[in-house]
Amino acid sequence: MMRYLSMLMFIAFLAGGCAGLFPSGQDDLTAPGVMSAEAKKMLNEYKYPEAVAAYQKIIQAYPNSEWAANAIFNIATAFVSVQNPQKDYAQALTHFEDFLYQYPQHERAADAKNWRQAIKVVLDAKKENERLLKNIEQLKQLDMRQEQKRLGK
């Protein structure tokens, strides 16, 4: 009997100990939980292409699930991460819009809307900057032609 109680306490200890490993509160010992933990680890190690690929596998394997929702959101944030040397604001915007289309009531929808708006501002500023640089280049060319005319060349 004592051996039986010891065994039950040991099993309870192990089960309780595993819960602390995954703070999300979800049963992360499931296949999508393990896949998500691996993708998150890649993100934390700044392995963005690998993390995005891992999250895409989750989306394909578990479409229309909470796992897929979180994967889409995490892909989007990976594309705008400060540490990501290959940022892609257009891809991030596409993923945030996809997330909001598929999961408009998700708890992270407000964050996705804020990200979407911020990215739109960045992309608009980038377009305006490119337009202004083009105008500056055209003005330089015009100035050079005017200077050549002035000098009689």
Side-chain angles (χ1 to χ4, degrees), residues 24-40:
S24 68
Q26 296 171 326
D27 180 12
D28 284 326
L29 298 178
T30 63
V34 171
M35 292 169 71
S36 183
E38 289 172 0
K40 178 78 169 159

Side-chain angles (χ1 to χ4, degrees), residues 50-132:
E50 294 89 346
V52 167
Y55 281 125
Q56 287 173 334
K57 287 180 183 177
I58 293 170
I59 295 166
Q60 290 173 351
Y62 305 95
N64 303 316
S65 69
E66 183 67 18
W67 297 106
N70 287 324
I72 294 169
F73 188 91
N74 290 334
I75 288 171
T77 58
F79 280 119
V80 293
S81 176
V82 173
Q83 292 87 8
N84 188 348
Q86 299 171 334
K87 288 177 197 54
D88 190 335
Y89 294 110
Q91 280 291 326
L93 182 60
T94 298
H95 283 86
F96 280 124
E97 288 177 342
D98 186 35
F99 175 85
L100 289 167
Y101 177 77
Q102 291 186 50
Y103 307 99
Q105 302 303 317
H106 194 275
E107 64 185 20
R108 295 171 115 182
D111 291 336
K113 288 177 184 176
N114 290 335
W115 272 111
R116 181 180 63 184
Q117 185 59 35
I119 292 168
K120 284 181 178 182
V121 168
V122 168
L123 290 175
D124 287 346
K126 186 176 178 180
K127 283 181 187 174
E128 180 65 11
N129 189 38
E130 289 170 0
R131 187 186 68 77
L132 291 172

